Amino acid sequence: MLAAIKGRLAHISSQGIVRATGILVGGTVAGNLITAASLPVVTRLYTPEQMSVLAVFASILQTLYVSICLRFDIALPMPEADEDAVNLLAIGASFCVLLSALTGMVLMFVPHAVYAQYGYPLLADLIWLLPPALALAGLYSLMQMWFVRRKAFGAIARSRLIQSAGSASTQIGLGFAHVGAVGLILGYAFNTGAGSVLLGVRFLRREWELTKATRLARMRQLFTEYRRFPVFSAPEALAQTAGWQLPIILIAGFAIGPEAGFLTLAMFVIQAPMSLLGNALAQVYLSEAPDKNREGMLGAFTIKIIGGLLKIGVGPLIALGIVSPAAFAFVFGPDWARAGTLVLWLTPWFALQLLVAPVSMALHVTSHQRLALITQLFGLVLRLGLVAGVGLWMPRVISEAYAVSGAIFYLVYLLVVLHVVGARVGDLLGELRKALLPIVAFIVLGIIGAFVAHWLDTIL
C-alpha cells in the first residue's frame, strides 16, 4: 500500500502543470505570508485616509500598465522561434519606455488645483513617481512572460518573494518615520521595481547572445503579424483594468475620506488567497494552452483547470468572506472594521473571478481578441455606470454596488470563455457537484471562525 501511494505521488509530481503550479504557488504563498504578516503593522502605522491616497495612485498605475507594452508581453509565449520572441520583447520594451515617458509629459501639464479639487492634494507632490513605476511594471510583465516561455517558474517565484519583502519593509520602515502616504506609495512602487531588476539581470545573463537577433526589419514584420495584440488585446486589457480601477477612483471622489482605503484593504485581503492559485495557474495555462489548442483539447483542459479551482479555491474564499466582518477589527485595528464587511460583499465577485481569470487567455490563444475587447467594454460600462449611478443617489453603499457589478461581469465572462473553448455549462456543473463537499466544509469552518473571532474581540 505504501509503495502504491509513493508511486501515485511520484506520478502526480512528474506532471508538468502540477510541478509548475507548485513552484509558482510556493513563491506566491511565501510572498503573501510576508505581506499578510506586515498588514497588521501597516494598518496601525497608516490611517484609512492615507490608504485612500495609495488607492488612487495604485488605480491609475494599474489602469495604465496593463497596456503599456501594447500587450506584446502576452504574445511572447506564442512564436515557435526564440529569435521571433526576442524581437517581440524588444517591441514591447520600446513601447513601454516610450509610453511611460509620454505619460510623464502629460502629467507635467496637470495643474495642482486638479488634485486639490478632487480631494487629494497630496497626489500632486507624489504623481511624479508614476512614470518610472509604470515603466518598471511594464518591464516586469515582459520579463515574467519571457520566463513563462522558458518555463523558468522558479525565477518568477523568487522575484515575487523579493517583491513582497522589499515592499513590506519599505512601507513599515517609512511608517515608523511618520512620512505619511509617501511611505505607502514608495513601498508599492518598490514592488514592481525589485521584480523587474531581478528578472532583467537574469535575462541579460542568460539571453545576451539571443538579444543580438533583434532586427528592426523583423520587428516591423512581427508587429504586423501580431497586430491583433495592440489593436484588440491592448484596448481589451485597458478596458478590463479600467473597469476594475476607475470605479475605485470614482469611489474616492464620491466618498472623500477613508472609503477607498477600506475598499483597498478589503480587496487586497480577498485577493491574497485567490492569487495563491489564480495567478500561478494563469501563467501555467498560457504556457500549455497553445499546444492544447493545436491538439483540439483546449475545452477539456480548460474545464480541468476550472474544476480544480472549484475544489480547492472557492471554499477558502467563501470562508474568508464569512469570517472577515468579525475578524477585521481584531486583526487590523478598530478603525478598519468597515473593510471586513466589504470583504463579505466582494466574495461572490472574487469567487467567480478565481474561476475565469486563469483561463481567460483562451480568448487570445484562439484568436478571439475582438470578442475579448467587446466583453471587457461591457464590463467597463456596467461597473462605471452602476458605481456612478449609486454614487449620485446612494453614496453610502457605493462600494457594495461596485462588488455587485464585479460579480455580474465575471459570471458573463465565464460563460463567454466556456463558449469559446467549446465547453458546455453542463461540464462546469458536473465539476461543481464534485466540489460541493469541500465547499460546504469551508463554509462550516468560516462560521466557526466568525464565532471565534467575535469571542476573541470581546475578551481582549
Side-chain angles (χ1 to χ4, degrees):
M1 178 65 71
L2 183 59
I5 294 174
K6 289 182 177 178
R8 178 59 179 163
L9 291 174
H11 171 70
I12 292 173
S13 64
S14 67
Q15 297 177 6
I17 188 169
V18 175
R19 184 169 60 254
T21 304
I23 293 171
L24 283 177
V25 167
T28 307
V29 167
N32 280 346
L33 285 175
I34 292 173
T35 304
S38 71
L39 270 179
V41 180
V42 169
T43 54
R44 285 168 171 83
L45 292 173
Y46 300 95
T47 66
E49 288 80 6
Q50 290 169 341
M51 191 73 77
S52 292
V53 177
L54 172 64
V56 175
F57 181 90
S59 294
I60 298 171
L61 176 63
Q62 292 292 329
T63 300
L64 296 176
Y65 111 88
V66 291
S67 296
I68 201 70
C69 304
L70 295 188
R71 298 296 271 177
F72 285 106
D73 48 339
I74 299 301
L76 287 181
M78 305 299 178
E80 293 188 17
D82 287 341
E83 291 77 10
D84 287 344
V86 79
N87 276 278
L88 284 176
L89 188 147
I91 296 172
S94 299
F95 278 107
C96 174
V97 173
L98 177 64
L99 294 176
S100 297
L102 182 61
T103 301
M105 293 175 62
V106 171
L107 291 175
M108 290 174 61
F109 295 97
V110 179
H112 285 204
V114 171
Y115 303 99
Q117 186 175 9
Y118 181 63
Y120 293 90
L122 182 60
L123 272 177
D125 298 322
L126 300 176
I127 203 67
W128 62 271
L129 288 168
L130 183 64
L134 193 56
L136 289 170
L139 292 174
Y140 180 66
S141 182
L142 284 165
M143 291 294 98
Q144 267 200 119
M145 295 314 298
W146 179 267
F147 288 108
V148 165
R149 175 183 177 83
R150 290 295 196 217
K151 293 183 171 57
F153 300 111
I156 300 174
R158 285 189 293 273
S159 73
R160 292 178 179 175
L161 181 60
I162 292 174
Q163 283 178 314
S164 298
S167 178
S169 59
T170 300
Q171 289 181 339
I172 290 174
L174 293 177
F176 279 115
H178 303 290
V179 299
V182 179
L184 287 170
I185 291 177
L186 285 175
Y188 182 81
F190 185 92
N191 190 297
T192 53
S196 59
V197 170
L198 180 69
L199 292 184
V201 169
R202 181 184 175 92
F203 171 80
L204 291 175
R205 285 178 176 174
R206 294 173 177 261
E207 310 286 0
W208 178 252
E209 288 299 318
L210 185 59
T211 61
K212 297 177 182 178
T214 54
R215 297 288 185 273
L216 185 58
R218 186 55 181 155
M219 289 168 63
R220 289 172 178 167
Q221 293 172 354
L222 288 169
F223 185 92
T224 302
E225 183 179 342
Y226 288 85
R227 63 185 179 277
R228 282 182 172 269
F229 287 88
V231 173
F232 294 115
S233 183
E236 176 248 327
L238 186 61
Q240 178 187 29
T241 312
W244 179 305
Q245 301 294 341
L246 290 186
I248 297 178
I249 298 176
L250 282 180
I251 290 169
F254 279 118
I256 294 175
E259 185 67 11
F262 294 141
L263 184 59
T264 298
L265 178 62
M267 293 183 71
F268 178 84
V269 169
I270 199 169
Q271 280 176 342
M274 190 188 76
S275 66
L276 296 183
L277 283 176
N279 292 342
L281 273 176
Q283 292 176 331
V284 176
Y285 181 85
L286 184 56
S287 71
E288 300 282 344
D291 292 335
K292 298 294 183 182
N293 187 44
R294 285 188 285 266
E295 297 166 3
M297 299 173 59
L298 186 59
F301 180 60
T302 302
I303 287 294
K304 177 183 176 183
I305 296 294
I306 295 176
L309 289 168
L310 277 169
K311 293 172 186 173
I312 62 177
V314 171
L317 276 179
I318 296 175
L320 177 62
I322 293 171
V323 76
S324 290
F328 261 54
F330 175 74
V331 176
F332 299 111
D335 292 340
W336 296 91
R338 164 70 174 159
T341 302
L342 292 180
V343 170
L344 180 60
W345 277 91
L346 289 165
T347 298
W349 163 1
F350 280 89
L352 287 164
Q353 183 184 347
L354 173 66
L355 300 181
V356 70
V359 300
S360 62
M361 284 295 119
L363 299 179
H364 300 277
V365 172
T366 57
S367 298
H368 282 85
Q369 285 91 344
R370 187 191 300 270
L371 178 59
L373 173 58
I374 293 171
T375 304
Q376 295 300 338
L377 288 175
F378 160 75
L380 175 61
V381 173
L382 171 68
R383 289 169 167 179
L384 284 179
L386 191 56
V387 168
V390 172
L392 288 172
W393 297 103
M394 295 180 291
R396 289 199 303 175
V397 294
I398 190 171
S399 295
E400 286 85 346
Y402 178 45
V404 171
S405 71
I408 295 172
F409 168 69
Y410 276 104
L411 176 59
V412 173
Y413 199 3
L414 178 60
L415 296 175
V416 169
V417 171
L418 292 177
H419 172 73
V420 166
V421 301
R424 299 176 303 169
V425 175
D427 298 330
L428 179 62
L429 293 177
E431 294 295 331
L432 178 59
R433 283 192 294 270
K434 297 176 185 177
L436 278 179
L437 182 59
I439 289 175
V440 170
F442 274 106
I443 290 175
V444 173
L445 286 175
I447 295 172
I448 295 172
F451 278 111
V452 171
H454 178 72
W455 175 70
L456 288 174
D457 195 35
T458 57
I459 66 172
L460 296 179

